[in-house]
Amino acid sequence: MLPTVLYESHLKTFKFWFADAVQDGTHHNNELFCRLVTYDLSDRGPAYQLGCRLGQQGYMLLLTVTPTDCSLWGGLREPITHAVLTGAMELELTGSVLPTIVTPVPNDE
């Protein structure tokens, strides 16, 4: 499944409290989404590639663009959204070429 690409100005956003922080939310096609990560507009291609990789794993995502940046949004019912918001997983672009999904190694405490 490919991520849906939208102009952020066409969405109505809202704020909500989750994981001890205020998060950005939106709705699209009867689904609720949360902003997972924001990148510079120059990283739009690698961000889209990352969205495609996650979409291939079955995650529902949006990619929004503004004149200065782009953001990946995850469906609120998706486990990856919870993992990113709680810090169990990071989404980052390495060298603005190849997107990677970084999952921290659990501590053996």
Side-chain angles (χ1 to χ4, degrees):
M1 175 185 328
L2 297 176
T4 301
V5 181
L6 301 166
Y7 290 109
E8 194 165 320
S9 60
H10 294 171
L11 296 175
K12 293 183 180 179
T13 60
F14 58 89
K15 302 283 187 185
F16 68 100
W17 184 260
F18 182 79
D20 296 326
V22 176
Q23 309 291 341
D24 291 326
T26 191
H27 59 88
H28 179 69
N29 288 345
N30 295 322
E31 289 290 334
L32 293 172
F33 292 86
C34 179
R35 188 186 315 264
L36 300 177
V37 64
T38 299
Y39 303 111
D40 189 79
L41 188 61
S42 64
D43 290 324
R44 184 174 68 178
Y48 182 76
Q49 290 175 350
L50 176 58
C52 289
R53 285 184 48 208
L54 294 171
Q56 288 174 342
Q57 296 175 28
Y59 296 116
M60 186 180 316
L61 299 166
L62 296 177
L63 177 69
T64 61
V65 294
T66 71
T68 59
D69 57 37
C70 61
S71 296
L72 275 175
W73 301 70
L76 283 181
R77 294 187 282 176
E78 300 291 351
I80 194 170
T81 300
H82 185 265
V84 170
L85 296 180
T86 59
M89 178 183 286
E90 292 181 19
L91 301 176
E92 62 183 37
L93 305 177
T94 56
S96 297
V97 176
L98 181 64
T100 59
I101 303 167
V102 178
T103 307
V105 177
N107 272 346
D108 289 335
E109 295 184 65

